[in-house]
Amino acid sequence: MQNLTKSFGQKEVLVGADFRFEQGKIYGLLGRNGAGKTTLFNCLGGEMPVDGGSMKLVDGKQERELQAADVGYVYSLPMLPEFLTGYEFIRFFVDVNKAAIAGRGDDIGALFDMMRIAEDDRHKLIKHYSHGMKNKLQMLLFLLMKPPVILLDEPLTSFDVIIALEMKQLLREMKGDHVLIFSTHILQLAADLCDELVVLSGGKLSRVSTELLNRPDVEQQVIELLSEEIESGAVISESGLERSATGKERGDAGRA
């Protein structure tokens, strides 16, 4: 992502956001309420256009614009056809996307087994599913489609402890083939599951250093840093908040 900008009227949400996400890692996206995490996801997923900047997939020397089909989006509030049963929905999804799925949907029962969805529940109307079960169906979709980028907006908060552990293991197994960006308000979950933490504040993205991520007091440190407004180009390090020197700051330093 390079220099992403997005505004709603006079409210600037993304202000030149830059970041390079790598395949093989789970990124935890942190930010205070209203920081713009959902807006960022909507822009990456093609739900809304950006005002400026670019989003690209880079593979070696090959580079192309990110397309909506490249992104799987697991919503915090599942949007599913509640008039269908879980089995009917997955069967329909497999039929419609047969070419893209390339045989991965041949055994739908095995997919439901993988997600620990009981036989009886598979044939219930989705409107009778719990929030957690609806999220399982969402996760089934990107297991089938295997998009290069997967966005997860608070997907584990509705699972019970056992299922959440299973889902975390599944995500760890999947990360080798994907860029996984995980938005959550639960700092402990992010620190436990993610390889890197990224903070969205002031319309920009900042990386939490590996040193801080591995510290036992990482939660307290990040909470303290989130309580501050992170300035342009900031990087959170073991010792706190490092701000990259802008031209003015370099000039000030030179005069000093």
Side-chain angles (χ1 to χ4, degrees):
M1 304 188 319
Q2 293 181 318
N3 197 33
L4 289 191
T5 59
K6 181 65 182 178
S7 299
F8 298 95
Q10 298 299 311
K11 181 175 176 58
E12 295 180 319
V13 179
L14 302 177
V15 189
D18 296 296
F19 207 85
R20 187 182 183 92
F21 295 97
E22 298 178 8
Q23 178 180 309
K25 292 183 178 180
I26 303 176
Y27 293 86
L29 179 64
L30 302 174
R32 303 185 70 177
N33 289 337
K37 299 187 297 299
T38 299
T39 296
L40 176 63
F41 272 15
N42 286 338
C43 290
L44 286 170
E47 301 288 329
M48 62 176 60
V50 296
D51 297 332
S54 63
M55 300 173 289
K56 297 180 180 180
L57 280 179
V58 181
D59 184 3
K61 294 183 179 181
Q62 296 184 343
E63 179 178 303
R64 64 177 175 82
E65 295 295 322
L66 185 71
Q67 304 295 323
D70 296 322
V71 181
Y73 195 155
V74 180
Y75 298 88
S76 58
L77 296 175
M79 294 182 288
L80 299 167
E82 298 197 336
F83 56 88
L84 295 176
T85 67
Y87 189 94
E88 289 170 340
F89 172 57
I90 297 300
R91 178 76 271 170
F92 171 77
F93 186 85
V94 168
D95 289 343
V96 170
N97 296 283
K98 191 171 295 183
I101 290 171
R104 288 188 293 273
D106 290 345
D107 189 346
I108 294 178
L111 293 170
F112 279 100
D113 289 341
M114 184 186 306
M115 302 303 292
R116 303 292 194 273
I117 298 177
E119 285 276 357
D120 291 345
D121 292 330
R122 302 173 194 187
H123 300 286
K124 287 181 180 177
L125 291 176
I126 294 174
K127 70 178 181 180
H128 297 311
Y129 279 16
S130 67
H131 187 84
M133 287 187 62
K134 290 178 181 178
N135 263 333
K136 283 186 178 184
L137 281 187
Q138 284 194 105
M139 296 181 78
L140 260 180
L141 302 185
F142 67 72
L143 285 175
L144 287 165
M145 296 298 291
K146 293 190 175 298
V149 180
I150 296 176
L151 310 176
L152 303 109
D153 189 5
E154 300 276 356
L156 300 185
T157 55
S158 57
F159 292 152
D160 63 38
V161 174
I162 300 300
I163 299 300
L165 287 173
E166 293 173 350
M167 292 301 100
K168 286 195 286 185
Q169 182 58 35
L170 178 63
L171 293 174
R172 292 187 181 107
E173 293 171 357
M174 293 178 59
K175 71 178 182 180
D177 299 320
H178 304 274
V179 174
L180 292 171
I181 309 174
F182 186 98
S183 172
T184 182
H185 290 90
I186 305 174
L187 184 53
Q188 181 56 51
L189 175 60
D192 175 56
L193 177 63
C194 301
D195 300 295
E196 292 194 25
L197 298 184
V198 184
V199 172
L200 177 60
S201 184
K204 293 181 178 291
L205 291 165
S206 306
R207 186 191 309 271
V208 176
S209 74
T210 303
E211 290 83 2
L212 181 57
L213 186 57
N214 292 329
R215 282 176 51 164
D217 61 341
V218 57
E219 291 185 67
Q220 185 58 38
Q221 292 291 323
V222 173
I223 288 171
E224 291 176 4
L225 293 168
L226 281 172
S227 67
E228 304 177 17
E229 188 68 16
I230 299 176
E231 296 182 2
S232 175
V235 177
I236 303 173
S237 73
E238 180 178 11
S239 59
L241 189 62
E242 294 178 351
R243 296 179 173 88
S244 62
T246 63
K248 178 179 183 302
E249 290 167 336
R250 287 193 294 269
D252 293 343
R255 287 191 293 273

